[in-house]
Amino acid sequence: MKFRIRRLLPKMVPKLVIDQKMESIKELMKFLGKDFLPSFFTPLLPYVLSEVAEDNVGRIMASFKFLEKVYEHKLTINDICDAHWGTVLVRILWNSDRCAEPQRCDEAIARIQRLAEALPGKSQDSKKRGVVEKVAVAKKRRGEKSIIDVTGNECTPNIAGLTESGFLHALDILQIVISDSRENPKWQEYRQLLEDPFSSVSDVPLDVSRFFRSAAVLLEIVGDQLHRFAVKMFDLLQCACAQLRNVDSLRCWKHFLRIGVTRLKPLLPAVVSELLQLADSLQDTDMAAFQEVQKLLSSVVHETCKYPEVLLALPPLPEHLRGSKHSVEKALAKMSIQQRIESTVKQLEMSSQAVRHAILQGLLHFLMQQRQAFTKVADLPSDVLAKLMRVLLKFLSESASTGQLLCGQVLGALGAIDPVRFAGEVLVERHSPPKDLRSLKGDLELAKSVLEDFLAPNLANNSAAFAAQEIFKYFQDEQKQDVFNKLSEDAKEVLNPYRSSKYQSVSEGHGSDTHFQGALADAIALLPQERKAFFEACLPATPDSHGLALFLMHHVIHELIVSSPHDVHRTAKLSKLAQKLGQLVNFEGKDAPDSQETATAQAVFSLLDDLIQKKDEINAMPSRSTGDETWKKRQLERLGELCKPFSYRLVLSCAVRCGAHARALQFLEMEFVEATEGKGIDPGGCRVEEQDCELLQTIYRELGEPDGVVGAIRIGPSGRTRTELELQGKWSDMQASYEEVASTDRRRSALCGLVDCTQAMRRFESSLQLISGIRQEMPDLAEQLRPRSVEAAWQLSSWDRLTEALQAQDQIDTKDFQVQLGDILLQLHERNEVKLQQRLQETTVEVAHAASLAAQDSYTRAYQHLLRLHLLSDLHWLTQKQQEPGIAQNLLTRCDMSRPSFGARQALLGPLKVALQDMNLRDEAKAVELAFSRLCRKHGEPVAMEHPDTSFQGTSNELRASAQLEWGKILYASGAKHDALRHMLQLSSSCPRAQLLGARWAADASLLLPRVAEAEFQQAKERLNNEAAFFHHASYLDYLLKSQISEAARSMSQSAPAVKKLRTAAHAPFDRKNLVTFTFRGYLQALQRGTKRLHFILNRLLQLAWECCEVDVQKQDMVAEFQQEAAKIPPWMWYSVLSQLISRALHPDLKKTFTDIIKNVTKEYPQQAAWHLVQLLNSTNPDDRSHRELGQDIVSDVGRQKHDLHILLTTRRKIAEDFGKLASTTGESISIHFARDFPRLVGNGTQAEKWQVLVPLQSQMTATIPRNFSQWNG
């Protein structure tokens, strides 16, 4: 009975309040065992106020007085209403569903209006209301935005104020209920607001259709000002549509889109994505509604076509929107791939969490479209790819599992780009700690950073929104406006509603005391009262933003160190905080860290690293007075207290745990230095113990430094030969070593080592047999060796044994990637499409999660995971494109952009070869197998390729010819040179490349007479007509010419008669004139056909020209040929050797040729070449004026042709003179006044001497030239 009464209280108590029956209420309380009247009423106030709103204003006022009496006049009705407007608004919206559709909004507004008029002090007389309206109109004319009026001009200020004070809270309530966030402490309370008290069942599913109808009323009430809350409203609709998509949800979207495309630009990709899903849901159930969604979509896309940068982020449109799809393609046709990527990156950087998913979907679709022409993506400038990779890695680290799946798919579609492409680029951004060691950062600057960088992008999150409100509340009116004015325009737009809101937090606390957020709260509590309030305002957002918590902690620690110099208790407080931080990173005895522990380790390590660097900086600061020395002593004392609980070993463990291996190495070295201070080290003895040796090897392996691993082994304990053999790739020697140990008490580890050796030597059949024997002898090793058996089974395409190995995979605590990959290939073999896609998604999520942790350190650290995402993307693409031509070429093109190491590329090619074989794509599989054999040959790995006559039988003629060519290369690399030459001789008639290779190898082995070899090269050159043929021909002639130059040099050094010189020349195998001419011509003509060997050729030509002139080997003919052919080479090629040209430009025989080249380069790249000419113009050799004269001649000649170039070159020369004069100014007593002594360096020169040299210096020193391996059509 009591249970039924409690269920009916939301219906009973409002009626009793309206009738003011206090005695009945007390009897009801007595029956339910309640003693305190306010505590009984408070949970029921939303129901009471929403029901009271249905009466007239007079009765509502009477009810309000009754409620004040309930609370014994300790609370006014304004206080009561302010605390419950959000829940009251939700109840009003929910109850509006009782009315017919046209009257719902009017009825809800009327109830809000009656409540507003009944509140004391809220109603306005007509005269005052008129003044308010005039002010609002004046603001509107001035273009100012109202902070109060969120409901448009149709509602009075009374309703506007009440609506805004509860609107944001109402959105959060609806969000928690519809997303079924049961872990939220407020979920049960909010869920009851939408329950029917007359229901006999307590846990009734939510009526989602009614929810949509209530949300539509809310959207209609807010009206024209909805754009200010667009992000949160969209997030609510997105969560609701995940539950149900029907006609009622369509009504909500129609109201939402009244905001307008212009104001919805940042959200449009996600809005279109949701509408597309709604259309799919309605297509088979409600054709009329489906057609309405189509019209809505067409209208939105048509308006969006005005903004091409937004179109790029739209998800792919289906065929039933052909017109819209054609409009989008037409609008995007004018944009290049680079422009599309740059625009998408810009959209991603500006997007909120709600929109990011849709933009990433569009990006994924675009990258998949480019698969057939992937070189266009791979050839994008490195800075463009770096921006895209930076934003993807950032989102990967910030996203939940669903977002990580999509991020992982995009990273896989983009491919595992070689880290060398990103040399010098910062791909992992971190918020830097305060740099000024003496001063504190003001509240305004801190507020701007927190609001703009952390809160504005995440306002859909309740805690972030509440923190934004509290930060604004912290400032006075003028300061609040100053903070707001400092924000960017985008941040102003989304943060404006929180400047005067009465928002309520629906989350509790600031995180567990055992987490980093708890330590932050403790640190804030130590601040002085005047500095504490701001940081406490930021605290609510820290549980959901680890980056914000770390940012705040850096500044709190800085304030604790710098502020309050006379606080004698500060040191003790810092000691307690340090102990708290030390407990957070006490990982001793714990298993592999979870994401929370890893984030905590990263945060604490970041703090410690910063503190240690601060200590070094303060120690290095000079002390000019007693005050400075006192300040330094106080700072070092406080820093010492903070660092006291942290030994180098503990900091080292934090660094390793969070992946900062470079810093970990530094701390390990610091510990070694501290441990050996004052002690001698025996150079021949053991320097580090076993544990430290293992740690050093782990660090160097993670850093990709094999030499460091070898060094660690050599300073560690003896008997570690096998590890060194492993690094050197000597697997046979390692196998022999393990076989010796297998008969000792270390048999278990030796057997596992034997398995590793057989796998590394790609003897997978032997590996499976060995594992089978180990299982019988030592069953407890079966689980440990399962990943190896799975890998060997799929490598051999042994599906039965793979099935057997995977049967007990659930017993593995941590799934190995090889096990997951084997499962994927097995599902592909069994043609189980559903399970295959499921396994691909599960594995992508797990790999993406691992990559997100590694990416917080560096791109290189995450690279092994990116390789796996690359492979998973290729396997997914294979399942969709089985019948398309050029599959292998596409896969190999993507593979070529990865790191050119054996480990990286074999991880991609091995599984792809097996998958293609299983899909019966023989030619494609053989093409990948051939690429894998080529990879093994180039890296000196064992090649398991059979003779092409048998293994490539039945494949295409082109593929078979490539295999035959590769077979010859394998024979030559293995030492069977005569067999290789015989094989190439057989192929030469049908394959010009075979003829070229045969000629090269035969010439290198001196098996051909010079004239025969020259004829072979000439024939191959005529047949191929490419860079390689011309280069190798010229290289062979260079070899012959080198011997002639050496012989001529010896003859010149001896006092031999002229007759002997003539006899030597007469017996040369070639005419020297032709030999010199054709060598130079061949090299330069090779450059006209490609630039793969650009730097070698040009440097070799300059050296060869110098040698020919020095020993007088047909130098006149050489100079003439050089000058003629060099004129055909574009200036950008010569720019790469400009320094060498300048250093040789004074040679009497080559001066004119080299000077002409330098002039051409200077005309083409004046900014960059000007700095190279400084070494000629400012030559300091007093005995040799020729350098300066040559430089002046070049500058004068170029300047006469273009006046702008003359000014630029002259300015550079004068600036260089100033720099030289400044560098030569020495002496302690000398003082320099830059404005007087060096006016040009401070920008005070004449108008002709105005310059912008140092910014950007890098671009002015580096010419933009085509990438190597490109073809130049001269």
Side-chain angles (χ1 to χ4, degrees):
M1 182 65 179
K2 287 185 178 181
F3 173 76
R4 292 292 300 157
I5 294 295
R6 287 194 187 94
R7 294 274 299 168
L8 292 172
L9 284 178
K11 284 293 182 182
M12 297 169 61
V13 174
K15 181 64 175 173
L16 295 174
V17 171
I18 294 171
D19 295 338
Q20 301 188 24
K21 295 183 177 181
M22 180 64 77
E23 292 301 323
S24 301
I25 293 173
K26 289 182 177 179
E27 289 177 5
L28 188 59
M29 289 176 58
K30 184 177 180 181
F31 175 76
L32 296 174
K34 300 288 185 181
D35 297 327
F36 191 54
L37 190 59
S39 64
F40 173 74
F41 252 89
T42 300
L44 299 170
L45 282 174
Y47 306 96
V48 172
L49 293 173
S50 60
E51 292 295 332
V52 163
E54 297 183 10
D55 270 348
N56 58 54
V57 175
R59 295 197 65 183
I60 294 174
M61 293 176 71
S63 299
F64 283 173
K65 290 180 180 178
F66 182 80
L67 289 174
E68 287 180 337
K69 183 180 178 183
V70 167
Y71 285 91
E72 301 174 352
H73 299 284
K74 293 180 180 178
L75 292 176
T76 66
I77 191 61
N78 287 330
D79 296 332
I80 295 170
C81 290
D82 283 346
H84 294 86
W85 272 130
T87 52
V88 171
L89 184 56
V90 169
R91 285 296 305 168
I92 290 174
L93 295 172
W94 195 252
N95 291 337
S96 67
D97 195 62
R98 302 171 187 168
C99 306
E101 184 177 343
Q103 288 83 37
R104 286 174 190 160
C105 182
D106 294 338
E107 183 61 31
I109 291 175
R111 292 177 185 179
I112 298 172
Q113 175 71 41
R114 287 193 289 269
L115 288 175
E117 291 177 359
L119 284 173
K122 295 286 183 178
S123 59
Q124 305 287 339
D125 56 61
S126 59
K127 182 178 179 180
K128 192 170 182 181
R129 186 178 296 119
V131 172
V132 172
E133 289 173 355
K134 287 179 181 179
V135 172
V137 171
K139 281 189 175 184
K140 191 172 182 180
R141 286 174 180 169
R142 293 197 301 267
E144 296 180 14
K145 292 181 180 178
S146 169
I147 300 175
I148 300 297
D149 184 12
V150 299
T151 57
N153 295 327
E154 297 177 0
C155 297
T156 66
N158 306 8
I159 303 176
L162 296 182
T163 306
E164 178 166 15
S165 64
F167 180 75
L168 294 168
H169 190 201
L171 283 182
D172 277 323
I173 293 171
L174 296 174
Q175 175 85 32
I176 290 171
V177 173
I178 195 63
S179 59
D180 201 23
S181 305
R182 295 173 184 262
E183 70 282 356
N184 193 294
K186 295 279 189 177
W187 179 84
Q188 185 63 36
E189 174 189 342
Y190 295 154
R191 181 67 177 83
Q192 290 175 355
L193 291 173
L194 308 185
E195 287 183 353
D196 182 8
F198 295 105
S199 173
S200 58
V201 183
S202 59
D203 193 11
V204 179
L206 180 68
D207 187 346
V208 183
S209 295
R210 185 175 180 181
F211 182 94
F212 276 122
R213 293 193 292 272
S214 302
V217 173
L218 180 61
L219 291 170
E220 197 171 350
I221 290 175
V222 178
D224 295 339
Q225 296 298 315
L226 180 60
H227 69 278
R228 297 171 60 200
F229 311 98
V231 174
K232 286 187 74 69
M233 198 66 224
F234 171 78
D235 198 48
L236 173 66
L237 292 179
Q238 193 176 41
C239 285
C241 287
Q243 303 284 336
L244 178 67
R245 293 184 173 89
N246 60 8
V247 179
D248 294 315
S249 64
L250 172 59
R251 191 174 295 113
C252 288
W253 286 115
K254 289 170 70 175
H255 283 299
F256 183 76
L257 287 171
R258 288 177 184 172
I259 295 174
V261 168
T262 303
R263 284 174 166 170
L264 280 177
K265 273 174 60 178
L267 291 171
L268 278 176
V271 172
V272 172
S273 177
E274 289 296 325
L275 289 175
L276 287 172
Q277 294 179 64
L278 178 59
D280 290 340
S281 301
L282 296 174
Q283 188 169 8
D284 299 327
T285 58
D286 192 333
M287 185 54 64
F290 170 72
Q291 292 174 352
E292 197 171 351
V293 177
Q294 276 190 309
K295 291 178 183 177
L296 201 61
L297 272 167
S298 299
S299 174
V300 171
V301 174
H302 177 73
E303 288 295 318
T304 310
C305 286
K306 300 175 185 177
Y307 311 103
E309 70 277 6
V310 180
L311 286 177
L312 290 167
L314 292 185
L317 300 178
E319 284 303 316
H320 60 74
L321 292 171
R322 291 189 192 90
S324 300
K325 189 175 182 179
H326 177 71
S327 300
V328 171
E329 291 173 352
K330 184 178 179 181
L332 293 178
K334 301 175 183 178
M335 299 181 71
S336 65
I337 291 179
Q338 180 174 340
Q339 290 172 326
R340 293 189 183 193
I341 294 292
E342 289 176 335
S343 182
T344 302
V345 169
K346 186 176 180 181
Q347 289 286 316
L348 281 169
E349 290 174 339
M350 298 168 55
S351 67
S352 62
Q353 291 280 0
V355 187
R356 193 176 297 165
H357 191 273
I359 298 178
L360 289 175
Q361 279 185 326
L363 178 59
L364 177 61
H365 176 71
F366 172 71
L367 291 174
M368 296 304 287
Q369 281 183 324
Q370 299 301 317
R371 287 287 301 232
Q372 294 298 339
F374 202 76
T375 50
K376 295 180 180 178
V377 176
D379 290 339
L380 286 172
S382 295
D383 61 328
V384 175
L385 291 174
K387 289 177 183 177
L388 178 58
M389 189 62 70
R390 185 182 302 120
V391 74
L392 289 175
L393 291 178
K394 178 185 175 184
F395 293 163
L396 184 66
S397 301
E398 296 174 352
S399 300
S401 58
T402 306
Q404 286 184 345
L405 170 63
L406 190 53
C407 251
Q409 290 173 334
V410 174
L411 285 168
L414 184 61
I417 301 172
D418 185 2
V420 174
R421 289 284 301 274
F422 300 132
E425 298 282 353
V426 179
L427 298 185
V428 180
E429 295 179 339
R430 297 180 177 89
H431 288 277
S432 56
K435 295 298 182 185
D436 191 344
L437 298 178
R438 286 182 176 265
S439 62
L440 300 174
K441 194 170 184 179
D443 287 344
L444 293 179
E445 289 78 9
L446 275 174
K448 177 183 182 298
S449 299
V450 172
L451 289 169
E452 203 168 66
D453 297 341
F454 297 99
L455 301 185
N458 299 294
L459 285 174
N461 185 302
N462 166 265
S463 58
F466 182 71
Q469 170 189 281
E470 295 303 299
I471 290 173
F472 281 123
K473 205 179 283 184
Y474 166 78
F475 293 101
Q476 301 298 325
D477 292 339
E478 291 184 5
Q479 286 185 313
K480 185 186 297 185
Q481 188 61 41
D482 291 341
V483 171
F484 191 74
N485 292 337
K486 285 177 176 288
L487 301 174
S488 65
E489 290 303 318
D490 292 333
K492 286 180 182 178
E493 180 73 21
V494 297
L495 287 168
N496 193 36
Y498 303 94
R499 294 170 67 187
S500 63
S501 60
K502 296 178 181 178
Y503 196 40
Q504 297 183 32
S505 175
V506 296
S507 58
E508 296 182 354
H510 47 66
S512 170
D513 288 341
T514 60
H515 291 158
F516 187 72
Q517 286 80 1
L520 172 61
D522 292 344
I524 291 174
L526 301 179
L527 289 172
Q529 192 62 39
E530 66 273 10
R531 297 294 294 168
K532 186 190 302 183
F534 171 79
F535 290 100
E536 287 179 338
C538 302
L539 266 182
T542 56
D544 300 313
S545 177
H546 203 79
L548 174 59
L550 178 57
F551 175 82
L552 293 174
M553 183 65 98
H554 272 295
H555 287 277
V556 170
I557 293 289
H558 183 65
E559 299 225 6
L560 289 172
I561 294 171
V562 175
S563 66
S564 302
H566 305 297
D567 186 353
V568 294
H569 302 294
R570 179 60 57 86
T571 302
K573 294 176 181 177
L574 289 175
S575 179
K576 290 182 180 179
L577 177 60
Q579 291 174 5
K580 172 77 173 181
L581 292 171
Q583 293 171 4
L584 293 179
V585 292
N586 185 13
F587 301 121
E588 188 175 353
K590 290 188 178 181
D591 297 329
D594 57 19
S595 58
Q596 182 66 41
E597 288 179 351
T598 300
T600 300
Q602 288 170 337
V604 176
F605 171 71
S606 175
L607 282 175
L608 293 173
D609 196 23
D610 177 41
L611 293 176
I612 292 170
Q613 290 185 37
K614 272 184 179 161
K615 285 176 68 175
D616 294 339
E617 291 173 11
I618 291 173
N619 278 319
M621 291 175 66
S623 299
R624 296 186 175 88
S625 65
T626 307
D628 287 345
E629 190 63 36
T630 303
W631 178 86
K632 284 179 62 175
K633 183 179 179 181
R634 182 174 60 249
Q635 303 308 303
L636 291 172
E637 181 183 354
R638 292 180 175 181
L639 285 168
E641 282 299 324
L642 279 171
C643 298
K644 195 172 183 179
F646 302 96
S647 63
Y648 284 129
R649 180 66 58 163
L650 185 56
V651 181
L652 168 65
S653 68
C654 287
V656 172
R657 203 161 184 105
C658 65
H661 291 91
R663 295 291 288 151
L665 181 61
Q666 182 178 354
F667 286 116
L668 185 58
E669 291 173 352
M670 291 165 71
E671 184 185 34
F672 286 163
V673 170
E674 187 178 80
T676 58
E677 190 173 357
K679 301 176 183 179
I681 299 177
D682 180 12
C686 173
R687 302 188 187 182
V688 295
E689 297 182 0
E690 178 80 17
Q691 182 181 359
D692 291 336
C693 183
E694 294 288 347
L695 181 58
L696 266 175
Q697 291 179 64
T698 301
I699 292 173
Y700 277 120
R701 280 196 184 95
E702 293 292 344
L703 291 173
E705 296 286 350
D707 293 340
V709 181
V710 173
I713 294 169
R714 290 178 178 173
I715 64 171
S718 59
R720 306 189 62 84
T721 311
R722 285 193 298 275
T723 310
E724 192 166 353
L725 292 174
E726 177 185 350
L727 290 168
Q728 296 171 358
K730 297 180 179 179
W731 300 105
S732 299
D733 295 339
M734 275 190 69
Q735 186 177 15
S737 175
Y738 279 124
E739 287 173 350
E740 290 179 7
V741 178
S743 58
T744 66
D745 55 350
R746 291 182 290 171
R747 179 173 176 77
R748 291 172 61 89
S749 61
L751 290 176
C752 293
L754 282 172
V755 173
D756 291 339
C757 289
T758 54
Q759 297 269 134
M761 291 187 289
R762 305 189 63 77
R763 298 174 182 172
F764 297 112
E765 187 64 45
S766 301
S767 178
L768 281 176
Q769 293 176 5
L770 181 60
I771 292 172
S772 178
I774 294 173
R775 281 178 182 166
Q776 295 176 6
E777 181 182 348
M778 301 177 182
D780 56 320
L781 285 178
E783 296 303 321
Q784 181 180 341
L785 296 175
R786 189 179 306 281
R788 290 299 195 187
S789 61
V790 169
E791 181 185 3
W794 68 253
Q795 287 277 11
L796 294 169
S797 299
S798 180
W799 306 112
D800 292 338
R801 287 187 284 186
L802 178 59
T803 304
E804 179 185 351
L806 289 170
Q807 280 177 351
Q809 62 174 305
D810 293 335
Q811 299 175 12
I812 303 175
D813 294 332
T814 303
K815 275 191 176 181
D816 187 90
F817 178 72
Q818 290 299 335
V819 176
Q820 296 169 314
L821 179 58
D823 198 3
I824 290 170
L825 292 172
L826 181 61
Q827 303 306 325
L828 178 65
H829 168 72
E830 294 176 351
R831 305 298 187 266
N832 191 332
E833 184 65 26
V834 176
K835 279 192 175 181
L836 173 61
Q837 297 304 323
Q838 181 183 349
R839 295 289 188 273
L840 281 169
Q841 287 196 4
E842 290 173 353
T843 308
T844 301
V845 168
E846 291 191 23
V847 175
H849 177 67
S852 70
L853 298 177
Q856 293 175 16
D857 180 38
S858 67
Y859 177 78
T860 305
R861 171 104 167 100
Y863 191 71
Q864 59 172 333
H865 304 293
L866 296 179
L867 280 169
R868 293 170 178 177
L869 292 173
H870 180 132
L871 172 61
L872 292 170
S873 177
D874 282 348
L875 291 172
H876 173 72
W877 181 76
L878 270 180
T879 62
Q880 311 296 321
K881 306 290 181 182
Q882 296 186 21
Q883 305 302 322
E884 288 192 8
I887 289 178
Q889 183 58 42
N890 181 278
L891 297 173
L892 294 177
T893 300
R894 280 170 49 82
C895 183
D896 288 342
M897 67 187 294
S898 65
R899 176 185 280 166
S901 65
F902 179 77
R905 295 197 173 176
Q906 69 94 17
L908 298 175
L909 295 176
L912 293 175
K913 178 189 71 171
V914 173
L916 289 168
Q917 286 174 344
D918 189 68
M919 295 166 68
N920 297 320
L921 299 174
R922 180 172 171 73
D923 275 24
E924 312 294 342
K926 285 297 180 182
V928 174
E929 180 185 342
L930 182 61
F932 186 74
S933 299
R934 187 179 299 117
L935 177 72
C936 293
R937 171 179 59 82
K938 288 182 176 180
H939 289 85
E941 298 290 336
V943 182
M945 179 178 173
E946 299 179 3
H947 197 286
D949 288 343
T950 56
S951 60
F952 281 78
Q953 189 175 6
T955 59
S956 65
N957 293 333
E958 182 181 357
L959 183 59
R960 195 160 56 251
S962 298
Q964 293 283 3
L965 197 64
E966 182 61 31
W967 181 254
K969 294 179 180 179
I970 292 172
L971 290 174
Y972 190 80
S974 64
K977 296 184 177 181
H978 289 282
D979 292 338
L981 285 171
R982 190 180 304 110
H983 183 76
M984 289 303 181
L985 182 61
Q986 295 173 356
L987 291 179
S988 59
S989 59
S990 59
C991 181
R993 289 186 62 196
Q995 183 178 13
L996 177 63
L997 285 172
R1000 279 180 55 198
W1001 296 343
D1004 290 345
S1006 302
L1007 298 178
L1008 296 177
L1009 293 173
R1011 291 193 177 276
V1012 175
E1014 200 277 338
E1016 289 289 328
F1017 276 117
Q1018 187 66 33
Q1019 188 177 2
K1021 188 168 69 173
E1022 292 172 357
R1023 296 175 68 184
L1024 287 171
N1025 192 29
N1026 62 8
E1027 180 202 13
F1030 277 79
F1031 170 77
H1032 289 299
H1033 183 206
S1035 182
Y1036 178 67
L1037 296 178
D1038 186 2
Y1039 165 74
L1040 298 177
L1041 179 58
K1042 211 183 314 181
S1043 62
Q1044 296 292 310
I1045 292 173
S1046 300
E1047 189 173 346
R1050 282 196 303 272
S1051 300
M1052 288 181 64
S1053 63
Q1054 299 171 358
S1055 56
V1059 178
K1060 185 174 182 180
K1061 295 181 186 178
L1062 293 175
R1063 187 181 303 116
T1064 303
H1067 286 84
F1070 291 103
D1071 177 61
R1072 274 190 178 174
K1073 176 182 176 181
N1074 289 337
L1075 186 60
V1076 171
T1077 300
F1078 286 119
T1079 300
F1080 276 80
R1081 184 180 300 174
Y1083 273 138
L1084 291 169
Q1085 287 184 349
L1087 284 180
Q1088 297 176 33
R1089 289 162 173 80
T1091 59
K1092 183 177 180 180
R1093 303 167 180 87
L1094 170 69
H1095 295 283
F1096 174 83
I1097 291 175
L1098 290 179
N1099 282 286
R1100 179 57 190 155
L1101 281 175
L1102 296 180
Q1103 181 64 27
L1104 200 56
W1106 184 278
E1107 291 174 355
C1108 286
C1109 291
E1110 287 298 300
V1111 298
D1112 194 11
V1113 177
Q1114 303 295 327
K1115 66 179 179 181
Q1116 293 182 354
D1117 299 312
M1118 180 275 297
V1119 170
E1121 183 66 27
F1122 198 147
Q1123 194 162 4
Q1124 178 182 344
E1125 291 296 330
K1128 302 176 184 178
I1129 303 298
W1132 68 262
M1133 291 189 181
W1134 290 115
Y1135 175 80
S1136 61
V1137 290
L1138 183 57
S1139 296
Q1140 293 89 322
L1141 285 167
I1142 290 175
S1143 66
R1144 293 172 170 83
L1146 287 176
H1147 195 285
D1149 299 311
L1150 299 169
K1151 181 176 180 179
K1152 184 179 184 309
T1153 303
F1154 287 177
T1155 302
D1156 289 343
I1157 295 174
I1158 294 170
K1159 289 178 182 178
N1160 289 334
V1161 173
T1162 305
K1163 293 174 190 174
E1164 190 70 24
Y1165 304 105
Q1167 291 274 7
Q1168 295 80 13
W1171 292 107
H1172 292 275
L1173 291 176
V1174 167
Q1175 59 183 299
L1176 284 176
L1177 295 168
N1178 292 354
S1179 176
T1180 57
N1181 187 350
D1183 299 327
D1184 187 4
R1185 300 176 55 189
S1186 55
H1187 287 87
R1188 291 193 295 274
E1189 291 174 355
L1190 176 61
Q1192 291 168 359
D1193 290 343
I1194 294 174
V1195 170
S1196 300
D1197 192 24
V1198 173
R1200 278 195 296 270
Q1201 300 178 36
K1202 286 187 177 181
H1203 183 64
D1204 292 344
L1205 292 183
H1206 173 74
I1207 295 175
L1208 185 146
L1209 296 172
T1210 305
T1211 304
R1212 294 293 185 276
R1213 179 184 179 183
K1214 291 179 179 178
I1215 291 168
E1217 290 174 352
D1218 285 349
F1219 279 132
K1221 182 180 177 183
L1222 178 63
S1224 61
T1225 304
T1226 58
E1228 296 182 0
S1229 61
I1230 296 177
S1231 62
I1232 299 174
H1233 191 282
F1234 270 87
R1236 181 193 65 217
D1237 301 330
F1238 301 100
R1240 282 187 291 265
L1241 296 183
V1242 293
N1244 293 337
T1246 64
Q1247 185 63 33
E1249 293 173 336
K1250 293 291 183 183
W1251 58 281
Q1252 294 178 352
V1253 177
L1254 298 182
V1255 183
L1257 181 61
Q1258 184 61 38
S1259 64
Q1260 292 183 340
M1261 291 291 289
T1262 308
T1264 303
I1265 63 176
R1267 291 179 60 195
N1268 278 358
F1269 306 99
S1270 62
Q1271 293 294 320
W1272 173 69
N1273 298 319

